[in-house]
Amino acid sequence: VIEGYASTFGTPDKRDRGGEYVMPGAWTKTLADFRKNPVILVDHTNKVSSIAGSWTKVGVDQRGLAVTGAISNAPGVRDTRFKLVEGHLKGLSIGGIWHYAEDRYGIEEIDLFEVSLVAV
């Protein structure tokens, strides 16, 4: 089992490394669609062989997009599973389509496709 924040909210003064920030409400319209196929991918690689498991809980709280997931026991996921258990793999990242606010930095809506396990 893995849990954490796939993404957290920001402000114009508190942006991510790419200079963007997610606004509260960004997932309001689209989260139900993501829940139909809540895959955990490795490194945003959209291939069957890169599926590491599924997100079993996906919800928004005051901090951001909170997720809990189950990692597969499939032989092809063994390396990823070991790195998670040993504490070496800690990063999560979202993949999808961003819809920006007028300032071109604020993300006001996200069509979420996947949440990946990533190195950084």
Side-chain angles (χ1 to χ4, degrees):
V1 174
I2 180 173
E3 62 183 3
Y5 283 88
S7 181
T8 55
F9 297 124
T11 65
D13 297 329
K14 184 183 171 195
R15 300 181 188 182
D16 64 17
R17 286 183 311 214
E20 302 167 325
Y21 62 97
V22 176
M23 300 167 67
W27 294 285
T28 302
K29 295 181 184 176
T30 61
L31 204 52
D33 283 338
F34 174 72
R35 288 185 180 118
K36 294 175 185 174
N37 186 31
V39 294
I40 299 173
L41 294 181
V42 176
D43 293 324
H44 299 294
T45 304
N46 189 13
K47 295 168 63 174
V48 171
S49 60
S50 293
I51 295 173
S54 295
W55 298 108
T56 56
K57 283 179 57 178
V58 179
V60 179
D61 64 17
Q62 72 283 349
R63 187 168 174 207
L65 184 64
V67 293
T68 301
I71 301 299
S72 172
N73 281 323
V77 184
R78 184 174 186 238
D79 183 65
T80 300
R81 195 171 49 252
F82 270 94
K83 289 173 184 167
L84 281 166
V85 170
E86 292 173 346
H88 305 297
L89 180 55
K90 299 176 184 179
L92 297 177
S93 178
I94 58 174
I97 298 173
W98 314 156
H99 302 274
Y100 290 92
E102 284 188 28
D103 70 1
R104 295 181 287 168
Y105 298 103
I107 302 169
E108 60 187 6
E109 188 174 315
I110 297 174
D111 296 332
L112 186 64
F113 297 157
E114 53 87 12
V115 178
S116 280
L117 300 170
V118 294
V120 179

